[in-house]
Amino acid sequence: MSTDQQPRANDGLFRTKSVEQSIRDTEEPEHALKKSLSAWDLTVFGVGVIIGTGIFVLTGKVAKENAGPATALAFVAAGIVCALAALCYAEFASTVPVAGSAYTFAYASIGELPAWIIGWDLVLEFALGTAVVAVGWSGYVRSLMDNIGWHLPASLEGPDVPGGTFDILAFILVLVLTVVLVLGMKLSARITALVVAIKVTVVMIVIVAGLFFIVGDNYKPFIPDAVTPETGGGWETAPLVQLMFGYEPTNFGVMGIFTAASVVFFAFIGFDVVATAAEETKLPQRDMPRGILGSLLICTVLYVAVALVVTGMQHYTELSVSAPLADAFKAVGHPFYAGVISFGAAIGLTTVCLILLLGQTRVFFAMSRDGLLPRFFSITHPKFRTPYRPTILLGVIIAIVAGFTSINELATLVNIGTLFAFVVVAAGVMVLRRTRPDLHRAFRTPWVPVLPILSIAASLWLMLNLPGETWLRFAIWMIIGFVVYFLYGRRHSRLGKLGQDAKY
């Protein structure tokens, strides 16, 4: 069989869709997305979605509870795990420039069922991430409103507030961003560029201004002595690695750095969203690797710098868990900077929501175009060339979820979903190298298979450090996905119908 020949229907659950056919599908007029993004746009998207809740909140939490001043090293460790995955993503995104990210990559390398699993996983990851971040954004905005004497009725402040039932601000934010995405990617890119500029400026203010308040003694000890944390709550809250092997996670010490890395990994979630925009990129073979790797490098440097500054301004035992950056400046007598940081956090979370919503709609669109979800959702807008149908549907659903959702342990589902995608992409690189060695690759992941194997191992290790309850919820979502696939996706797959001489 030639490399471009399509698999037959009886290839079963692991039939693959060739790279050539995936690219040809993007040229069908009614299913085509507009190509308008550059390497700069992709880098801005990456920075826009990565810098968010993590840098404004998690820095204080892990410094106080897990790693002390060595939190900077935890960010480095988490960044390395992401960098291993990013190198694999870069090869796929430049070779298969099609909407869908890890879903599309899996379809071209491992097969239809694994592709469905990862696509179903990404839908959950991006949807839940958007809702949770929208609720976080609402909290920052309410705080700013309270500072100037504006107050919403308690019933419209969301479940996180006593007496609250519906978060009107989170609901409105998601609907507004849905409209922005329907109007076009270039408009989204311009808005994101403006907001990212504000957000990065605020981060730089934290770094530069904070340098003048660093006290050397606050770094002592840089790596505090290891302690075994108190655990409780049963299997639900215990890390899976502890349940399986009896391993006790360690706070502080060298192992505490890796425990902290499992937590701050959330701060890096988002760079993989860049890959979902491959089909809308002008020169994906050149620009996708630049956007993915560039945004990850910029954010890692900023994270490490912020961690060093904040733990130098205040001793790690005194850091705030909820608002470490703002409260550190309050502690040194500069509340003005605290207000600037709160403003930057609110602005920054806007782009996180926008790009997570973008990622979800593109995965949903790609699955629909392949027939695994109703083809109704794969028709693009005749003027804006955007997947407006899934964007509107998912936007409304997520807005409602955000309105009634409290920020809680469900956010860990975002972590496990992302790490699972990392595993699939790394495995896909090795498989495609073996099955399609002739394929032109504008960017090649170095040291294959060693680097992908390291990426898989590192991702699995962080997954094992997530609570047992997270694994249970993830398993339930996957079971629902299997039911949907076997009842609908497998029977309507465009690839599966090839063996019946159906039109593709």
Side-chain angles (χ1 to χ4, degrees):
M1 182 174 74
S2 67
T3 56
D4 192 23
Q5 184 178 344
Q6 287 299 304
R8 299 181 302 275
N10 60 10
D11 285 339
L13 302 178
F14 295 92
R15 54 196 173 210
T16 58
K17 181 179 178 182
S18 76
V19 174
E20 292 82 2
Q21 184 61 57
S22 295
I23 295 174
R24 280 199 297 270
D25 286 350
T26 69
E27 299 168 354
E28 297 176 351
E30 66 177 355
H31 304 295
L33 298 173
K34 184 177 180 180
K35 297 182 182 296
S36 60
L37 302 180
S38 64
W40 171 254
D41 293 325
L42 295 172
T43 302
V44 169
F45 271 131
V47 174
V49 73
I50 297 172
I51 296 181
T53 307
I55 197 169
F56 293 112
V57 177
L58 292 182
T59 305
K61 175 179 175 60
V62 297
K64 191 168 186 176
E65 300 176 1
N66 302 111
T71 295
L73 299 181
F75 277 116
V76 172
I80 290 173
V81 174
C82 291
L84 293 172
L87 289 168
C88 297
Y89 268 91
E91 175 170 324
F92 261 129
S94 62
T95 307
V96 193
V98 178
S101 184
Y103 159 76
T104 300
F105 307 157
Y107 214 159
S109 57
I110 304 176
E112 183 173 280
L113 179 59
W116 167 267
I117 293 172
I118 196 63
W120 189 251
D121 161 58
L122 290 174
V123 167
L124 173 68
E125 173 196 340
F126 293 148
L128 188 61
T130 303
V132 170
V133 174
V135 175
W137 174 88
S138 174
Y140 276 108
V141 172
R142 289 198 307 269
S143 176
L144 290 172
M145 291 172 63
D146 290 341
N147 290 339
I148 59 177
W150 295 356
H151 304 285
L152 288 172
S155 60
L156 298 179
E157 292 190 343
D160 285 316
V161 179
T165 55
F166 186 74
D167 193 331
I168 188 65
L169 293 178
F171 176 79
I172 292 174
L173 173 67
V174 176
L175 290 185
V176 170
L177 296 181
T178 297
V179 173
V180 170
L181 287 176
V182 169
L183 293 179
M185 280 293 291
K186 198 61 183 178
L187 174 62
S188 304
R190 289 170 180 167
I191 293 175
T192 301
L194 174 62
V195 175
V196 169
I198 296 173
K199 180 162 55 175
V200 172
T201 298
V202 171
V203 173
M204 292 305 298
I205 289 174
V206 171
I207 295 171
V208 176
L211 288 174
F212 295 95
F213 303 104
I214 289 178
V215 178
D217 287 344
N218 287 336
Y219 290 128
K220 299 177 182 177
F222 189 76
I223 303 179
D225 294 336
V227 297
T228 300
E230 296 183 5
T231 58
W235 69 270
E236 298 93 340
T237 57
L240 188 64
V241 67
Q242 178 180 346
L243 298 173
M244 293 175 63
F245 306 111
Y247 164 77
E248 291 285 350
T250 302
N251 285 347
F252 308 110
V254 175
M255 292 305 298
I257 296 173
F258 294 102
T259 302
S262 299
V263 179
V264 301
F265 175 80
F266 181 83
F268 287 91
I269 286 177
F271 80 85
D272 56 318
V273 179
V274 176
T276 67
E279 192 174 326
E280 294 157 276
T281 303
K282 296 176 183 177
L283 297 172
Q285 289 79 7
R286 182 196 69 185
D287 293 342
M288 288 305 301
R290 294 181 180 181
I292 293 173
L293 297 172
S295 58
L296 182 61
L297 176 62
I298 290 170
C299 293
T300 301
V301 171
L302 291 176
Y303 280 6
V304 171
V306 167
L308 289 173
V309 167
V310 172
T311 54
M313 291 176 64
Q314 269 191 301
H315 196 267
Y316 73 91
T317 58
E318 300 173 355
L319 282 172
S320 165
V321 173
S322 59
L325 277 63
D327 288 352
F329 279 98
K330 288 181 181 179
V332 296
H334 288 273
F336 167 77
Y337 289 111
V340 172
I341 292 168
S342 295
F343 173 76
I347 291 293
L349 293 180
T350 304
T351 57
V352 177
C353 284
L354 175 69
I355 302 170
L356 286 174
L357 185 58
L358 162 75
Q360 188 199 38
T361 57
R362 270 46 180 183
V363 173
F364 198 96
F365 168 80
M367 296 174 73
S368 173
R369 188 166 57 189
D370 290 330
L372 301 182
L373 290 172
R375 294 268 290 169
F376 171 83
F377 295 108
S378 65
I379 306 299
T380 55
H381 193 282
K383 179 180 179 181
F384 304 121
R385 309 309 303 172
T386 56
Y388 68 106
R389 290 174 176 176
T391 300
I392 294 172
L393 171 68
L394 297 171
V396 171
I397 292 174
I398 296 172
I400 295 173
V401 171
F404 289 103
T405 300
S406 172
I407 295 179
N408 53 37
E409 66 276 4
L410 285 177
T412 57
L413 276 172
V414 182
N415 277 18
I416 197 170
T418 302
L419 289 164
F420 182 63
F422 287 3
V423 171
V424 173
V425 170
V429 167
M430 293 187 291
V431 172
L432 202 61
R433 284 284 188 95
R434 186 176 184 85
T435 58
R436 291 295 307 274
D438 60 301
L439 195 64
H440 173 68
R441 293 167 169 82
F443 178 89
R444 297 179 67 88
T445 302
W447 309 309
V448 175
V450 175
L451 189 145
I453 291 174
L454 287 176
S455 178
I456 292 172
S459 298
L460 288 175
W461 174 252
L462 292 186
M463 290 175 72
L464 289 173
N465 278 277
L466 293 172
E469 189 174 43
T470 298
W471 281 87
L472 176 62
R473 289 169 174 164
F474 182 67
I476 292 173
W477 177 254
M478 287 294 105
I479 291 172
I480 295 173
F482 276 109
V483 172
V484 174
Y485 173 73
F486 284 105
L487 291 181
Y488 182 90
R490 189 183 184 194
R491 293 191 297 166
H492 293 83
S493 167
R494 297 178 74 191
L495 190 61
K497 291 180 178 179
L498 284 175
Q500 304 167 15
D501 294 323
K503 180 181 178 182
Y504 194 102

